[in-house]
Amino acid sequence: MSYVSDGHSSFMGVVEDISQSGVRIAQIPADFDDDIDHCTAVIHCPTGDYTITLQPCWSRSTNRGMYKTIGFLIVNPPPDWQSILDQLEEGAGMELGFLVLGNDQD
């Protein structure tokens, strides 16, 4: 799960995919403004908290227009981001928590 803010309102979404360069979040209510330039994500994991900048790249309407799935580019991921992803892939019981803030809350 993830909380996503467009700078005006906060919404709950589901992290469906994560990689070295991006993250896909689904089931974001259609009211989310995906035309923002960037937003900030605070990611909580067992190795610490990380702040990353996300840039919306694409958006797809789902569930008859009630929700969106949004692909975000991770701008300048932290140096140890790949090791975090490797641990997730190995199934080390690691979980991530996401808090995504709109660009006016940086």
Side-chain angles (χ1 to χ4, degrees):
M1 299 302 289
S2 126
Y3 287 96
V4 182
S5 173
D6 60 7
H8 304 287
S9 301
S10 293
F11 304 93
M12 186 179 294
V14 177
V15 177
E16 286 189 334
D17 192 20
I18 189 167
S19 70
Q20 178 69 30
S21 61
V23 60
R24 181 177 68 221
I25 303 176
Q27 297 183 18
I28 299 172
D31 295 352
F32 180 85
D33 181 9
D34 56 356
D35 289 328
I36 58 176
D37 292 330
H38 70 279
C39 50
T40 301
V42 178
I43 302 169
H44 176 73
C45 65
T47 58
D49 292 339
Y50 299 89
T51 302
I52 58 175
T53 300
L54 298 178
Q55 178 182 16
C57 294
W58 57 267
S59 175
R60 181 179 69 230
S61 179
T62 61
N63 296 64
R64 297 184 190 129
M66 292 176 40
Y67 296 97
K68 295 179 183 180
T69 297
I70 302 174
F72 294 94
L73 172 69
I74 299 173
V75 180
N76 298 322
D80 53 351
W81 185 244
Q82 185 59 51
S83 68
I84 293 168
L85 295 177
D86 292 342
Q87 290 177 44
L88 282 170
E89 189 173 341
E90 292 168 6
M94 184 179 199
E95 293 184 9
L96 299 179
F98 273 80
L99 174 62
V100 181
L101 305 171
N103 59 359
D104 67 347
Q105 297 181 19
D106 293 341

